[in-house]
Amino acid sequence: MENIDQRTVLTEEQDGAVARAIELGKRQIQQEIATGRIPPTVTDFATLHDFVDANEFGGLCEDEGEWNRLFPRTSAAEGDVFCEAANRVQDALSQWLSTSAERNALLVEKLIEDALNAACLSVQDGLKVSAGDVAGVFFSGSQKEAFQAMFARYVLCEISWMAQDEGD
């Protein structure tokens, strides 16, 4: 029986592919959260399967590309190496999901921009202002940064409350 602590040794090129797949997977998850396909409260890889085909994150299922080239599956041993590498990617993504608010970075950024635009539009409509020049100037530099920081805290607070509601 194989020792579970013993890991398959990958080549340097395979290790590089795993690292790139992890970074790609993070970006893909962020995009899916930002578009609403994945809730911002998901904190483990297994739960992603409730919303998307999570096995595709990181490019692991692409027919063409480096994973197909670096991890051929023409024998059981090669299949085992592929599975080990894929598990490393998925374990890293699961760890990242559980510990990083970065998973929601694109969503938070989008919501803040939408909130700023909606607030400015409301003021402009109420004042019957036809151009957004003043808003563009006013919400630049430190003013925009202050708004973004305040709304980021608010969005993260809402996500935290969502997570608590799901836990009940």
Side-chain angles (χ1 to χ4, degrees):
M1 186 165 161
E2 184 179 318
N3 179 352
I4 11 183
D5 292 339
Q6 183 180 353
R7 295 182 73 170
T8 302
V9 176
L10 301 179
T11 67
E12 188 175 326
E13 193 175 14
Q14 288 171 325
D15 274 335
V18 167
R20 286 186 294 282
I22 292 167
E23 293 308 310
L24 174 60
K26 288 176 183 179
R27 288 189 307 275
Q28 291 170 322
I29 291 168
Q30 287 176 323
Q31 290 168 346
E32 295 294 337
I33 290 172
T35 62
R37 287 187 64 199
I38 298 172
T41 54
V42 171
T43 57
D44 66 274
F45 191 85
T47 306
L48 293 174
H49 291 285
D50 294 344
F51 307 99
V52 295
D53 185 354
N55 293 324
E56 294 185 5
F57 287 131
L60 304 184
C61 296
E62 292 176 2
D63 289 334
E64 302 297 321
E66 73 176 345
W67 272 78
N68 220 18
R69 180 177 59 80
L70 294 174
F71 300 99
R73 287 164 274 176
T74 57
S75 70
E78 287 177 343
D80 289 346
V81 172
F82 172 85
C83 287
E84 171 64 25
N87 286 337
R88 289 182 192 183
V89 171
Q90 293 176 355
D91 290 347
L93 292 175
S94 191
Q95 175 68 26
W96 174 76
L97 279 165
S98 71
T99 61
S100 174
E102 182 184 301
R103 70 182 181 276
N104 293 319
L106 288 178
L107 173 64
V108 171
E109 186 179 305
K110 177 189 176 305
L111 292 173
I112 291 168
E113 192 65 28
D114 290 351
L116 179 56
N117 289 338
C120 290
L121 181 61
S122 177
V123 169
Q124 292 162 0
D125 285 350
L127 297 174
K128 302 193 183 337
V129 173
S130 60
D133 298 346
V134 173
V137 171
F138 185 84
F139 286 107
S140 62
S142 62
Q143 293 285 65
K144 186 173 185 176
E145 290 169 10
F147 180 89
Q148 289 172 325
M150 178 183 62
F151 258 79
R153 288 190 305 274
Y154 166 62
V155 171
L156 294 173
C157 184
E158 286 285 4
I159 291 170
S160 175
W161 277 91
M162 287 172 65
Q164 288 178 9
D165 287 347
E166 288 177 2
D168 293 342

